[in-house]
Amino acid sequence: MELITETYKEKISGVLGCFDRVVITGTLPKICYSQGMTSFLYSKGIRIFDYAKFVEPYKEQIRTNAEQIAKENGIDIEFVSKSSIRKEDLVQKKTKERGTHTGLVHILSAMESCPSYKPWHDKNSGRTFLKGTQGKCLHYYFYFIDEYLGLSYIRVPTWCPFKLQVYFNGHNILANELDKEGISYTMIDNAFDSISDFKRAQEISDNIDVKKIHKRLDKIAKKYCPVYFDFGQVYHWSIMQVEYATDIVFKKQEYLQSIYSDLITTAIHTVKPENIISFLGKKFDAKYQGEAGNNYNIRIQGSRIKHIMGKSSIKMYDKFSKILRIETTTNDVTFFRHYREVEHRNGSRTKQIAPLKKNIYSLSVLKDLFKASNRRYIEFISAIDNKDAGRKRLEKVSQSKKENDRNYKGFNFFNPFDLSILLTVLKGQFNISGFRNSDIRKLLLKLNSGQVSRLFKRLHKHGLIKKVGKTYKYYITKLGKEVFLTALKLKETVLIPALNY
């Protein structure tokens, strides 16, 4: 199957896959939970009910540190009183005034929620300890331009357990690396409008140094939240949110706009929950109870469709009408699994398929998983884009085939039974793991084993499915994907609207 990047290669400047928005949280392992903080107080000989008195001086230290940094940089700390005020807009204004050189850009403060602890005495057990709770405290947002991370921020709470939040953008890291190598480029917001060497840019993007990011995070924490030294620990950095974007950069806006409307309309009608989860590289589970579906909206930057599966999603939008962006996002990296070493409670270790760890070193694995996710989505939209080829293939599979004096009738896309067969085989849960006779019988209850076997033979003779050697498992061929998606598009955008007319 020819991908959309090949079909329109004469109209495309280049393709780039890169991390976009990345949000990291920093926690002090021994005090980031109530039992740990309780143990810490006992080890220091501090009464549990003196907890607030113990941590109060740290609040003043963080305030004093923020005011000192502001004074050294000639910056006034700006208090954000309303949640409706976009911090990004305030920072963008400051950036335009000062330029894009490295250093501190701005400091914002805001009263926001934060995790906390409260003293508790259990009369039944006689134990005194801390319980977890949620409160509010003053937070400082330090926006800065780092020589490696680019424009970033660190959010520092003034109350224990001092959970940090750091934001950076992979496109800014790449821009800094391109500058070092003298590779010219232009950017619109957080996207590359042009790059003189897309191939080299992709190589750099694929090798973003997580160890270097880790060192930068430690340095940033030391500068903006120095109170953590008193706890004798270092910050543990975990992934809170991450996005990976594949940008298809068109040479002119009209080139993308000539195909985008049809792409997004078809995606709205044809992408089902089982497709979404297959894009994300997982098998569909009928017991899944989380949120799943499509969301479409129009923004200043362009129109967007978002396919949601729990805390993960995949989006497609026309960024500034010129860049076709496919973006996989997650707020929970444990949604994804890979083959790794697992340590069990008894101390033994085995290698098996397991959820990703949340620490920042999972970024390297996520890059490959998200790149594959975006590619599966590009394959999907490529299959529904080529109209002329689609018509020819429909004509081909609708005709009977003769082999060894036996006829295998073609598929009638307007026949309810034939259409149900094609759409059943297309189910997203079969995209990665394939399907067997028993899988199809669970969905087409009226068919017995022999009928499904003859159906497989018919699909196979028309080149729509292929069998895995020495097994009873089948997969959809590239031709099959294009034909089945055309059938789905026909049903959702032609047949159903016509019936509702």
Side-chain angles (χ1 to χ4, degrees):
M1 177 172 57
E2 189 175 75
L3 295 180
I4 199 169
T5 49
E6 284 296 315
T7 305
Y8 301 102
K9 62 182 179 181
E10 300 301 324
K11 298 180 179 181
I12 292 172
S13 300
V15 180
L16 177 70
C18 184
F19 280 115
D20 193 49
R21 178 182 176 84
V22 181
V23 181
I24 304 294
T25 57
T27 54
L28 297 170
K30 293 181 181 179
I31 66 165
C32 67
Y33 61 106
S34 58
Q35 297 96 321
M37 191 68 204
T38 299
S39 298
F40 179 82
L41 293 181
Y42 277 124
S43 70
K44 298 294 182 181
I46 300 168
R47 294 176 66 250
I48 297 301
F49 277 87
D50 286 340
Y51 168 72
K53 184 180 178 181
F54 167 70
V55 297
E56 182 71 27
Y58 293 117
K59 178 176 72 174
E60 297 306 317
Q61 286 183 42
I62 290 176
R63 279 187 170 182
T64 303
N65 185 62
E67 290 168 359
Q68 181 64 31
I69 291 172
K71 184 178 179 180
E72 290 172 356
N73 289 273
I75 292 174
D76 293 324
I77 298 173
E78 185 174 357
F79 181 71
V80 181
S81 58
K82 297 179 181 179
S83 59
S84 58
I85 298 174
R86 293 186 76 251
K87 298 180 181 68
E88 292 79 5
D89 293 339
L90 300 176
V91 174
Q92 189 177 46
K93 183 180 177 181
K94 289 290 181 180
T95 305
K96 287 181 179 178
E97 292 174 0
R98 73 180 289 281
T100 58
H101 56 275
T102 57
L104 192 67
V105 175
H106 199 24
I107 305 175
L108 301 176
S109 64
M111 288 295 295
E112 295 175 347
S113 63
C114 67
S116 186
Y117 309 124
K118 62 180 179 180
W120 189 264
H121 179 73
D122 190 320
K123 293 181 180 180
N124 294 325
S125 65
R127 291 178 59 246
T128 303
F129 51 89
L130 294 175
K131 289 180 69 174
T133 186
Q134 197 71 13
K136 268 194 170 185
C137 75
L138 186 71
H139 288 72
Y140 290 102
Y141 284 79
F142 298 91
Y143 285 83
F144 53 89
I145 297 177
D146 183 81
E147 59 184 11
Y148 183 66
L149 300 177
L151 180 61
S152 311
Y153 75 71
I154 181 170
R155 176 181 184 254
V156 181
T158 55
W159 198 249
C160 195
F162 308 114
K163 183 178 181 180
L164 305 179
Q165 180 177 299
V166 181
Y167 158 85
F168 61 88
N169 193 298
H171 287 91
N172 292 335
I173 294 177
L174 178 56
N176 287 331
E177 294 301 289
L178 292 176
D179 286 337
K180 289 178 183 177
E181 296 199 11
I183 298 173
S184 61
Y185 63 88
T186 57
M187 292 185 77
I188 307 176
D189 190 33
N190 64 337
F192 289 93
D193 177 43
S194 67
I195 303 178
S196 60
D197 189 344
F198 270 95
K199 183 179 179 182
R200 178 58 187 151
Q202 187 62 65
E203 291 172 354
I204 297 171
S205 176
D206 288 341
N207 291 284
I208 285 178
D209 192 344
V210 181
K211 287 184 178 179
K212 196 169 184 178
I213 293 174
H214 191 169
K215 288 180 180 178
R216 302 306 298 172
L217 295 177
D218 287 343
K219 186 177 180 180
I220 292 163
K222 183 178 179 180
K223 180 177 182 179
Y224 296 109
C225 188
V227 299
Y228 78 87
F229 290 114
D230 288 0
F231 295 91
Q233 301 172 58
V234 295
Y235 271 99
H236 175 83
W237 302 103
S238 303
I239 301 168
M240 176 182 172
Q241 182 188 84
V242 61
E243 299 174 343
Y244 187 90
T246 299
D247 288 350
I248 303 172
V249 185
F250 284 77
K251 294 177 180 178
K252 296 181 180 179
Q253 288 181 325
E254 54 262 36
Y255 292 160
L256 173 56
Q257 294 309 303
S258 66
I259 64 170
Y260 185 69
S261 178
D262 188 57
L263 283 178
I264 203 162
T265 300
T266 306
I268 290 169
H269 289 289
T270 59
V271 175
K272 307 300 180 186
E274 57 266 26
N275 298 119
I276 301 170
I277 202 162
S278 71
F279 297 149
L280 297 171
K282 295 174 70 72
K283 292 174 65 175
F284 184 78
D285 186 349
K287 297 178 182 178
Y288 176 76
Q289 297 295 318
E291 180 185 9
N294 301 329
N295 176 276
Y296 172 73
N297 56 36
I298 297 175
R299 310 176 302 162
I300 295 173
Q301 296 96 330
S303 56
R304 181 196 75 175
I305 182 169
K306 182 178 182 180
H307 312 289
I308 303 163
M309 182 61 68
K311 292 184 178 181
S312 300
S313 65
I314 186 162
K315 297 176 281 190
M316 175 174 69
Y317 53 102
D318 56 333
K319 198 167 182 66
F320 302 104
S321 302
K322 188 180 179 184
I323 301 166
L324 180 63
R325 172 166 285 186
I326 312 299
E327 186 173 78
T328 298
T329 304
T330 190
N331 293 326
D332 181 10
V333 299
T334 63
F335 176 85
F336 299 90
R337 301 167 69 86
H338 73 128
Y339 188 72
R340 65 175 175 86
E341 186 177 72
V342 176
E343 184 176 357
H344 303 282
R345 291 183 178 179
N346 62 8
S348 64
R349 295 171 180 264
T350 59
K351 285 198 171 184
Q352 62 188 66
I353 299 293
L356 261 72
K357 294 181 179 181
K358 289 186 177 182
N359 72 65
I360 58 170
Y361 289 94
S362 289
L363 284 172
S364 299
V365 180
L366 278 173
K367 175 203 67 184
D368 296 329
L369 293 175
F370 282 13
K371 186 185 286 189
S373 171
N374 290 351
R375 181 176 176 83
R376 282 188 285 269
Y377 193 86
I378 291 171
E379 288 176 352
F380 184 91
I381 63 173
S382 297
I384 61 179
D385 174 65
N386 197 331
K387 302 179 186 66
D388 293 333
R391 292 192 190 98
K392 291 178 181 177
R393 290 180 175 92
L394 287 181
E395 291 174 3
K396 181 180 179 181
V397 300
S398 64
Q399 297 172 1
S400 296
K401 289 200 73 174
K402 190 171 183 179
E403 188 175 298
N404 297 327
D405 294 326
R406 181 173 178 179
N407 282 321
Y408 297 92
K409 69 176 182 177
F411 290 89
N412 182 350
F413 287 76
F414 292 92
N415 180 293
F417 177 71
D418 279 7
L419 190 58
S420 69
I421 291 171
L422 298 175
L423 298 182
T424 298
V425 175
L426 183 61
K427 291 285 185 181
Q429 63 260 43
F430 303 142
N431 193 35
I432 294 174
S433 57
F435 53 91
R436 303 171 188 269
N437 189 304
S438 58
D439 297 322
I440 301 302
R441 279 188 280 121
K442 289 176 184 177
L443 299 171
L444 297 176
L445 300 176
K446 293 182 179 181
L447 299 184
N448 58 39
S449 179
Q451 289 172 317
V452 172
S453 293
R454 289 191 289 275
L455 170 61
F456 283 0
K457 190 79 170 179
R458 184 180 165 203
L459 290 165
H460 184 264
K461 292 301 178 184
H462 281 85
L464 302 178
I465 63 173
K466 59 183 177 182
K467 186 178 181 182
V468 180
K470 297 182 180 180
T471 71
Y472 294 100
K473 184 177 286 188
Y474 290 84
Y475 283 89
I476 304 171
T477 63
K478 291 179 180 179
L479 170 64
K481 280 186 181 180
E482 293 176 339
V483 169
F484 297 154
L485 285 171
T486 303
L488 181 58
K489 182 177 179 180
L490 180 68
K491 176 191 174 186
E492 297 291 341
T493 62
V494 179
L495 295 181
I496 291 178
L499 290 172
N500 291 332
Y501 182 72

